[in-house]
Amino acid sequence: MRFGADYAMLIDGRLETGGASFAVLNPANEQVFAHAPDASEADLDRAVAAARAAFPGWAATPMEQRRDALRAMASALVANKDDMLRLLTREQGKPHADAEGEVLGAAHWLDGAAQLDLPLIVNEDSDVRYSETRRVPIGVVGAIAPWNYPLLLAMFKVGPALLAGNTMVLKPSPFTPLTTLKFGELVKGILPPGVLNIISGGDNLGPWMTSHPGIDKISFTGSTATGKRVMQSASDTLKRVTLELGGNDPAIVMPDVDPEAIAQEIFWAAFGNSGQICIASKRVYVHADIYDRLRDAIVAYAQTIKLGDGAEQGTQLGPINNRPQYRRVLDLIRDAKAKGYRFLTGGEPHDGMGYFVPVTILDNPPEDSRIVQEEQFGPIMPLIKFASIDEVIARANASDYGLGASIWCADEDEAYAIARRIDSGIVWINETRHMSPLVPFGGHKLSGMGVEGGEHGLLEYTNAQTITRKRPKAV
Ligand code: NAD
């Protein structure tokens, strides 16, 4: 164990680097390039105590001031964009251009959250009674983020949680703690001490948070397996939970589209961020009439893609972020090979350092194959042939997941009719992955519980309070 870290936690308005630390690797070369603080249970207790102490003051702070604080945090990110994007590429692996998109996206999400408002509903306004329902902050929010979009997905939580008047303890993934810690350093002077605490640590830290009696709500983004554990652990203290979990999004491509015109979009729908996106297209169902043309166009485009270190100019796809996920992806590829499925590209392991997996496209593997049924979370695309609408809708819905889906179809009425039959939290038509801080997003089935974004997302950081007043007797 090493003591002292290169990046600091933010606890009660102070930056702390002391105590134990853990190594952070660059996934492009597997070299340790920094150490992050490894929070102890006592550190978590102090962070929670600071958030509790700050809560009454922050909850009473006028909404306009809370909005200003979110906007100031967004500006701090934009002003430090270049340093942040380089750090993000080093810890996460994504190419610089994508890292820039994530840093600016994180700022956009804070600015977007600042536009939201809490509703006041008048239930009754009669001679007998006045009754209203307002929304009040919950208290201390424990936020737990994953490693695929560490900064952006943390800001999905920071913006609305703080706007609603809660205080917070935020924990990044141990694979990607640095940009989130750096964010804490940038915004330290913007918020009163204790309003936002950022702590990093190992595998125990998440479970300590979900069972901590001083935390009132958990907002979690990560895998479905962990999400189940989070809900179980949070039940003891009856914490509110929002769970943004895994997905196995279908893309349905109808025969009336021009296959060559959409091939690149379909490619990026699956391979953006090297497939490490909860809403990546993970099963691409293509109508038999255009299957061969779309397949050939996607495979031709795939040959032009540059895989490499995200810090090198021209890189379009980076490595997998971490060794456990790299192993999972290789295991899925090995299984597909062993079963004799046809590979159109990829499938060969990479020699040398770095968690690189080449773009891998499979030609019509069976519906019950692991590569179709499981969330790959890597650069793999199973192209699957279908013949009828009823059949493809049944196949798309026959999944435990229900996060997103996309329909590619020139006939908008038909696309809309299909979209309404898909069991997922969001369905895109002729595009994919469009998201906004003003639009609710969340999963059906094992893809999660609750939503983030828009007014619906903001409400998840509040309790309802109804106040009723009997009117004096009318004379
Ligand atoms: P993960 O579940 O392994 O880890 C997520 C976070 O939970 C990390 O910070 C981790 O340290 C923490 N954690 C681990 N065990 C915990 C426990 N027992 N209690 C509390 N916290 C714990 O997920 P990951 O591998 O970082 O992320 C990939 C997964 O996240 C994929 O399944 C992906 O689909 C999903 N994801 C979902 C969304 C969404 O919005 N629905 C967005 C991005 C990623």
Side-chain angles (χ1 to χ4, degrees):
M1 184 188 296
R2 191 184 122 141
F3 285 88
D6 307 301
Y7 292 80
M9 299 197 283
L10 179 63
I11 300 179
D12 204 10
R14 283 187 300 273
L15 295 173
E16 300 189 5
T17 50
S21 65
F22 63 91
V24 182
L25 303 186
N26 179 341
N29 57 26
E30 299 174 57
Q31 301 300 308
V32 174
F33 71 95
H35 283 78
D38 190 359
S40 64
E41 207 165 1
D43 292 332
L44 172 64
D45 286 344
R46 287 189 302 113
V48 173
R52 290 222 79 79
F55 174 61
W58 185 247
T61 299
M63 193 84 160
E64 276 317 306
Q65 280 181 37
R66 300 204 296 252
R67 285 186 214 289
D68 288 346
L70 296 197
R71 293 189 182 115
M73 290 194 287
S75 300
L77 273 177
V78 173
N80 292 276
K81 183 195 73 180
D82 291 344
D83 286 350
M84 289 298 269
L85 77 87
R86 277 192 279 272
L87 184 59
L88 182 54
T89 292
R90 279 186 102 183
E91 68 172 347
Q92 205 286 328
K94 66 186 65 187
H96 273 171
D98 294 352
E100 178 175 14
E102 178 168 351
V103 174
L104 294 178
H108 175 63
W109 244 259
L110 290 170
D111 272 333
Q115 295 176 40
L116 296 169
D117 229 331
L118 288 169
L120 177 81
I121 294 175
V122 176
N123 307 304
E124 183 179 341
D125 188 1
S126 69
D127 293 345
V128 182
R129 182 177 300 103
Y130 174 82
S131 163
E132 69 175 29
T133 299
R134 65 186 195 119
R135 308 298 304 204
V136 296
I138 297 172
V140 175
V141 173
I144 301 178
W147 45 258
N148 59 337
Y149 283 85
L151 193 62
L152 179 64
L153 296 178
M155 294 312 121
F156 274 30
K157 304 178 188 312
V158 170
L162 297 191
L163 182 73
N166 303 280
T167 57
M168 200 167 198
V169 177
L170 166 63
K171 184 197 94 65
S173 163
F175 295 115
T176 52
L178 303 180
T179 39
T180 309
L181 293 168
K182 186 74 190 167
F183 172 77
E185 194 182 307
L186 297 179
V187 304
K188 176 173 102 72
I190 295 173
L191 299 163
V195 169
L196 174 64
N197 305 274
I198 302 179
I199 56 175
S200 57
D203 291 346
N204 288 329
L205 187 54
W208 288 338
M209 287 174 70
T210 56
S211 59
H212 200 292
I215 292 181
D216 304 293
K217 172 178 175 112
I218 293 288
S219 178
F220 171 84
T221 303
S223 63
T224 295
T226 310
K228 290 179 186 178
R229 285 195 281 274
V230 167
M231 193 165 167
Q232 204 163 26
S233 163
S235 71
D236 239 6
T237 43
L238 222 61
K239 291 180 187 17
R240 280 75 183 128
V241 290
T242 298
L243 303 174
E244 294 290 349
L245 307 179
N248 193 7
D249 288 13
I252 297 176
V253 187
M254 298 299 287
D256 63 353
V257 297
D258 176 352
E260 286 78 20
I262 64 162
Q264 292 190 20
E265 277 184 90
I266 298 281
F267 177 90
W268 288 110
F271 291 107
N273 209 35
S274 291
Q276 302 163 107
I277 305 185
C278 54
I279 46 173
S281 297
K282 294 172 182 142
R283 303 176 278 159
V284 180
Y285 294 100
V286 186
H287 194 277
D289 289 356
I290 56 161
Y291 182 89
D292 291 359
R293 277 175 65 197
L294 183 62
R295 178 196 61 199
D296 294 349
I298 291 176
V299 170
Y301 182 62
Q303 315 296 343
T304 70
I305 298 298
K306 183 168 181 268
L307 172 70
D309 183 336
E312 277 169 21
Q313 221 179 358
T315 296
Q316 289 166 290
L317 291 179
I320 296 293
N321 171 255
N322 57 75
R323 180 162 285 277
Q325 182 59 23
Y326 181 57
R327 288 220 177 101
R328 272 195 288 274
V329 170
L330 293 186
D331 181 53
L332 275 177
I333 291 176
R334 260 194 302 272
D335 176 75
K337 283 212 141 163
K339 302 266 168 45
Y341 307 147
R342 181 158 179 255
F343 285 68
L344 297 164
T345 63
E348 296 308 320
H350 141 91
D351 280 337
M353 300 299 276
Y355 307 133
F356 293 102
V357 175
V359 164
T360 297
I361 304 177
L362 280 106
D363 192 10
N364 204 24
E367 185 66 27
D368 63 357
S369 57
R370 284 185 61 201
I371 213 107
V372 174
Q373 290 301 316
E374 296 183 19
E375 177 181 43
Q376 310 109 8
F377 223 63
I380 301 174
M381 174 198 274
L383 280 170
I384 310 156
K385 214 179 274 190
F386 76 90
S388 86
I389 294 181
D390 286 346
E391 168 214 337
V392 76
I393 291 174
R395 289 164 82 174
N397 286 338
S399 168
D400 287 339
Y401 293 114
L403 195 57
S406 60
I407 317 292
W408 303 80
C409 182
D411 180 335
E412 289 181 0
D413 292 338
E414 184 175 33
Y416 183 64
I418 297 172
R420 289 171 59 98
R421 294 173 62 192
I422 299 292
D423 190 358
S424 67
I426 189 161
V427 185
W428 292 276
I429 295 173
N430 294 327
E431 64 172 357
T432 189
R433 297 216 307 266
H434 174 260
M435 290 184 67
S436 154
L438 306 179
V439 174
F441 164 78
H444 294 187
K445 301 188 272 186
L446 296 193
S447 287
M449 183 167 288
V451 296
E452 291 190 309
E455 186 184 295
H456 288 74
L458 184 61
L459 294 184
E460 303 241 342
Y461 291 101
T462 64
N463 281 321
Q465 185 189 45
T466 298
I467 300 178
T468 75
R469 184 169 77 234
K470 193 173 172 199
R471 300 260 192 227
K473 272 211 173 72
V475 280

